[in-house]
Amino acid sequence: MGSSFGRCFRLTTFGESHGRAVGAVVEGCPAGLELSERDVQAELDRRRPGQSAVTTRRAEEDRVEILSGVFEGRTTGAPIAMVVYNRSFNSAPYEVVRRVPRPGHADLSYRLKYGHWDYRGGGRASGRETIARVAGGAVAKRLLSLIGVEVLGHTLEIAGVRAGRVEVEHLRRAESTSVRCADPEAARLMEERILEAKSQGDSVGGVVEVVALNVPPGLGEPVFDKLDADIAKAMMSIGAVKGVEIGSGFACARMRGSEHNDAFYLDGGRVRCRSNNSGGVLGGISTGMPIVVRVAVKPTPSISREQESVDLEEMRGTSIRVEGMHDPCIVPRIVPVCEAMLALTLADHAIRAGVINPCRVHPL
Ligand SMILES: Cc1cc2nc3c(=O)[nH]c(=O)nc-3n(C[C@H](O)[C@H](O)[C@H](O)COP(=O)(O)O)c2cc1C
């Protein structure tokens, strides 16, 4: 079912939205890395709903337990299993989607492919699956911090409102707004647009930007395992993500070579780029410039407005009005998920490139 990601640093996720639990198994994390439930919980708390007026009021506490792979506060090199029990859910509103699929969600395709599947709360296709990604990403972030790599995400656009230019050093400000946007005026407008859509029983989408700083040159493998190819796969594997750009992205199609090429210069013996249209990757290999990724997120499919659908038991046309608590905009909550997926990809490639020792983080 494609539940694993990564080659040397590998995340496997398990669990369904309304099943007993969701969780992650991380394989390939070297021994000796300091890791606690608190480290993982801090990242999970950023993904949790119910944090502001623009997210759903669903009460999900999402307490993580580390079951294995950590001894005396450090990883042992063994698989790290992490679990979050599902404690607060109501499956009743989902009975209908078994036979009447929600437009825009995965109900139809799961039914056509598997016939028998856990449709409650969206099952494996629920946003709750991303708890496991964020937990795995927390481990990857800690590992990357050993080589000075930092991964930061923020909201660039929601419902057509775009943030003004934000300097990298100000990106952390994004955490203080309800929509995770570092431009306070744009954040206010974004919140307005989300609440407006919500009051109309509708939803909106947007764009998330994720940046990785201090990435060493040399991560990524020619030909099929290019760093940008793996980043694109990582991001596209997140539910509701419909597009990925690296560096200048689609804008490159309208630029000239003289504009798009990032000129090189020497900075204390290191080659640097004057601009970063390549988004920190050339030929699929990191150059040492920041990795810059943008992700297009679609409007939340579950909306309370009446929509056309079909009854697959009676094979007739019908309509559906989705009940339950859904975010009118997924963008703010997807930011930590995108950070996690970038961190997982970079950790995997850092081990593959020999930048991080696969066995232990400290020499003997
Ligand atoms: C963090 C997160 C939260 C989500 N929350 C919801 C939600 O509340 N309601 C909903 O209908 N979809 C939600 N989604 C989106 C669905 O999971 C996604 O649209 C669905 O799996 C279909 O996949 P696709 O959009 O990639 O085709 C969420 C996704 C993520 C990543």
Side-chain angles (χ1 to χ4, degrees):
M1 264 200 167
S3 296
S4 301
F5 178 79
R7 192 169 287 185
C8 292
F9 187 93
R10 191 170 173 82
L11 170 76
T12 300
T13 78
F14 64 87
E16 292 80 20
S17 185
H18 291 189
R20 185 88 183 85
V22 291
V25 177
V26 174
E27 289 169 276
C29 182
L33 180 72
E34 276 183 33
L35 186 71
S36 70
E37 284 174 355
R38 218 172 329 115
D39 300 323
V40 181
Q41 193 63 53
E43 289 294 326
L44 289 182
D45 287 347
R46 296 176 61 222
R47 195 218 70 97
R48 201 158 48 89
Q51 299 171 62
S52 73
V54 298
T55 60
T56 143
R57 284 172 289 113
R58 269 192 326 255
E60 292 171 2
E61 204 193 343
D62 299 344
R63 286 273 135 217
V64 71
E65 288 176 37
I66 298 180
L67 304 181
S68 67
V70 178
F71 175 63
E72 295 178 340
R74 288 177 187 270
T75 58
T76 60
I80 302 166
M82 294 176 279
V83 70
V84 170
Y85 289 100
N86 297 323
R87 303 210 186 271
S88 152
F89 53 84
N90 173 16
S91 302
Y94 291 91
E95 272 319 302
V96 65
V97 309
R98 187 174 203 163
R99 53 191 296 168
V100 182
R102 288 168 290 174
H105 216 294
D107 311 320
L108 176 69
S109 45
Y110 271 60
R111 181 181 166 124
L112 295 178
K113 184 173 170 83
Y114 298 108
H116 181 70
W117 83 112
D118 188 349
Y119 52 86
R120 299 168 306 161
R124 285 292 284 161
S126 160
R128 276 190 78 70
E129 185 269 339
T130 63
I131 287 176
R133 296 167 185 247
V134 172
V139 182
K141 279 186 176 183
R142 277 200 79 74
L143 188 60
L144 290 170
S145 72
L146 299 179
I147 55 167
V149 174
E150 192 178 10
V151 178
L152 296 169
H154 66 115
T155 297
L156 197 60
E157 189 175 317
I158 285 180
V161 178
R162 195 158 175 106
R165 199 180 145 74
V166 180
E167 298 302 330
V168 167
E169 55 271 26
H170 297 143
L171 285 185
R172 284 177 200 83
R173 276 190 203 155
E175 284 298 304
S176 61
T177 71
S178 62
V179 289
R180 289 214 160 87
C181 174
D183 172 348
E185 181 50 24
R188 199 184 53 75
L189 286 172
M190 288 173 185
E191 182 165 342
E192 256 176 46
R193 296 274 173 94
I194 295 172
L195 295 176
E196 183 187 77
K198 186 181 176 183
S199 70
Q200 296 163 351
D202 218 336
S203 60
V204 289
V207 179
V208 167
E209 186 173 70
V210 201
V211 180
L213 305 171
N214 305 318
V215 176
L219 306 197
E221 322 235 318
V223 167
F224 292 111
D225 294 350
K226 290 180 169 135
L227 187 61
D228 41 358
D230 281 353
I231 291 171
K233 175 168 181 171
M235 298 301 169
M236 285 300 291
S237 75
I238 304 170
V241 168
K242 287 283 140 189
V244 181
E245 290 187 331
I246 314 261
S248 60
F250 271 63
C252 76
R254 297 181 292 273
M255 293 165 93
R256 291 213 169 179
S258 55
E259 275 177 280
H260 189 267
N261 292 343
D262 302 314
F264 299 129
Y265 69 100
L266 284 172
D267 176 21
R270 286 180 58 191
V271 180
R272 314 253 330 146
C273 299
R274 294 261 178 229
S275 50
N276 195 16
N277 287 315
S278 67
V281 187
L282 284 172
I285 298 170
S286 62
T287 60
M289 291 293 287
I291 308 272
V292 181
V293 187
R294 280 180 299 281
V295 169
V297 182
K298 76 184 194 182
T300 318
S302 299
I303 54 174
S304 58
R305 273 198 191 181
E306 191 157 312
Q307 297 175 89
E308 188 179 1
S309 185
V310 286
D311 185 320
L312 293 165
E313 299 293 316
E314 295 178 9
M315 287 314 271
R316 62 174 175 85
T318 185
S319 65
I320 184 167
R321 194 188 284 275
V322 180
E323 290 178 38
M325 291 186 191
H326 297 276
D327 285 320
C329 180
I330 300 164
V331 175
R333 293 185 52 222
I334 224 171
V335 170
V337 184
C338 295
E339 288 177 19
M341 292 313 296
L342 184 55
L344 287 160
T345 311
L346 293 174
D348 187 37
H349 276 284
I351 293 176
R352 288 167 74 170
V355 175
I356 292 176
N357 181 334
C359 295
R360 54 169 64 214
V361 297
H362 297 292
L364 270 174

